[in-house]
Amino acid sequence: MYVLGIETSCDETGVAIYHSERGLINHLLHSQVEMHSEYGGVVPELASRDHIRKLVPLIKQSLQESQLNGADIKGIAYTAGPGLMGALLVGAATARSLAWAWQIPAIAVHHMEGHLLAPMLEGNPPEFPFVALLISGGHTLLVKVEGIGLYRLLGESLDDAAGEAFDKTAKMLGLGYPGGPKLAALAEHGEPRIKFPRPMTDRPGLDFSFSGLKTFALNTINALELNPNKTAQDRANIAAAFQQAVAETLSIKCKRALQQTGLKRLVVAGGVSANKQIRSSLTEMTAKEHAQLYFPRLEFCTDNGAMIAYAGCQRLMAGQQQGLEIFARPRWPISELY
Ligand code: KG4
Ligand code: ZN
């Protein structure tokens, strides 16, 4: 069964075609980074308008490159939330309308479920059950995954998401949007000389808090501004210290989650999982814990249509589908999927 996947929750238009037996057939992505960078962040109205411009041409291109036509597609999966309302509506309305025209089922996919299942697109996918760390611009979640749709929330951020902390700290350092990759690039030239806190690691539990790290970064940057002998190296050192604090904090909590659940498989996904230091810190921790670590390939860490097509295909094969309504839910706790 060929499933068309559509992702428009934020600033990337993603389209993919996934086949239930043959796997991923094609995936295309249009990034809006250049458009938003002028404004220093995502402008929701511009995002929606750009999705409108790009989505249908991308679907046509994806069908063409796959040498398929509409009649071959047997289901459509679209990101219904969480995300920006206008952006989600573009994908949802297009998916629902195409499904109606082609007389096939459509399925609303939770964006974080897409991220969570992205490692399933790789050659050596994890077996269930596993622990998943989902780190994106809007979410930081630790989830016990028992199967498709069987997600038990173990912990989450009580304030800023990890990606949000990266983006805000990057802004304070005068780096533009998108902050995460820019901060990571600067950190490569720095030394983590300043000791940032490792929030909430000194008490039991699997929740996170990243807003304190951001405040610590702000105070450190303000103090640096007053220093007449400041150098560019000092900024790189702050970036390195911040990044190390996030990486270590995530690693400590993941280790705790593995120990608490007794599981030996950790999946890490979402935009922030593209971060090299976080990857190496988790690699080191899982090796010590004799656990297996699974990442999606870099292009499937950040938003993409392939993960939505995959997640939707699994749900469609399980007999699920959406009614004729255009379903978009900007706030949608993953715990409601269980
Ligand atoms: O999953 P994603 O593409 O979109 C959301 O669902 O939010 O994640 C975007 C987030 C942004 O906060 C971005 O700054 C962060 O992922 N990000 C990174 C890196 N690449 C993307 N953060 C740290 N290091 C990176 N290399
Ligand atoms: Zn995402």
Side-chain angles (χ1 to χ4, degrees):
M1 169 168 80
Y2 286 108
V3 174
L4 173 69
I6 294 176
E7 157 62 40
T8 63
S9 66
C10 189
D11 54 356
E12 329 261 6
T13 316
V15 166
I17 296 173
Y18 183 86
H19 188 271
S20 48
E21 276 85 49
R22 292 169 50 209
L24 188 62
I25 306 296
N26 179 271
H27 70 98
L28 299 171
L29 190 82
H30 169 73
S31 167
Q32 301 179 350
V33 161
E34 210 177 302
M35 184 182 75
H36 296 297
S37 61
E38 195 182 323
Y39 304 93
V42 178
V43 184
E45 181 60 23
L46 292 184
S48 314
R49 292 182 195 190
D50 201 57
H51 287 308
I52 293 174
R53 273 192 295 270
K54 299 291 169 11
L55 183 53
V56 172
L58 274 183
I59 294 171
K60 280 186 178 163
Q61 187 185 338
S62 187
L63 285 168
Q64 227 167 35
E65 287 182 10
S66 313
Q67 297 182 324
L68 298 170
N69 56 49
D72 298 313
I73 303 293
K74 298 295 177 234
I76 304 186
Y78 63 95
T79 303
L84 302 170
M85 186 52 153
L88 290 169
L89 274 174
V90 177
T94 307
R96 196 47 267 172
S97 310
L98 272 178
W100 185 77
W102 291 341
Q103 291 294 298
I104 54 173
I107 183 90
V109 174
H110 191 290
H111 181 77
M112 298 312 289
E113 178 177 48
H115 276 305
L116 190 158
L117 297 176
M120 297 297 191
L121 292 160
E122 303 308 330
N124 174 30
E127 276 174 34
F128 299 114
F130 55 77
V131 172
L133 171 71
L134 303 179
I135 34 180
S136 71
H139 296 84
T140 304
L141 305 171
L142 261 171
V143 185
K144 182 179 176 193
V145 180
E146 287 155 359
I148 304 274
L150 301 176
Y151 313 130
R152 223 174 257 291
L153 190 64
L154 301 172
E156 63 187 325
S157 179
L158 304 178
D159 41 56
D160 290 358
E164 197 177 349
F166 262 97
D167 294 339
K168 288 178 177 169
T169 303
K171 208 167 200 169
M172 290 184 243
L173 283 167
L175 308 166
Y177 151 91
K182 289 197 173 174
L183 190 148
L186 180 63
E188 287 203 13
H189 306 289
E191 287 291 329
R193 297 216 178 98
I194 310 151
K195 182 81 179 169
F196 272 59
R198 274 51 175 160
M200 295 183 70
T201 52
D202 56 352
R203 66 190 95 160
L206 295 171
D207 286 331
F208 302 89
S209 164
F210 289 107
S211 74
L213 269 188
K214 186 188 65 189
T215 311
F216 193 91
L218 180 65
N219 293 337
T220 312
I221 294 164
N222 285 344
L224 180 68
E225 289 306 317
L226 298 173
N227 181 351
N229 303 320
K230 61 178 178 285
T231 63
Q233 185 62 44
D234 292 322
R235 286 173 64 255
N237 291 349
I238 293 174
F242 167 84
Q243 182 175 259
Q244 191 193 51
V246 176
E248 269 189 38
T249 303
L250 293 172
S251 189
I252 291 167
K253 294 283 171 157
C254 285
K255 177 176 168 183
R256 212 178 269 178
L258 289 172
Q259 288 174 346
Q260 278 187 19
T261 55
L263 294 174
K264 289 286 181 195
R265 282 182 289 271
L266 177 67
V267 160
V268 185
V272 185
S273 68
N275 185 280
K276 276 191 216 154
Q277 188 171 8
I278 292 173
R279 289 169 97 95
S280 67
S281 159
L282 291 170
T283 304
E284 209 175 292
M285 181 278 287
T286 45
K288 279 191 196 146
E289 292 296 301
H290 304 291
Q292 294 293 318
L293 180 61
Y294 300 85
F295 286 111
R297 72 193 83 164
L298 280 179
E299 63 183 325
F300 292 163
C301 285
T302 43
D303 293 348
N304 64 86
M307 65 184 193
I308 302 303
Y310 176 83
C313 183
Q314 306 313 308
R315 286 189 173 268
L316 287 166
M317 287 198 305
Q320 298 177 27
Q321 59 173 282
Q322 227 65 38
L324 281 176
E325 80 278 11
I326 293 166
F327 183 73
R329 202 169 155 191
R331 288 181 183 277
W332 185 5
I334 197 168
S335 50
E336 289 185 15
L337 286 181
Y338 197 89

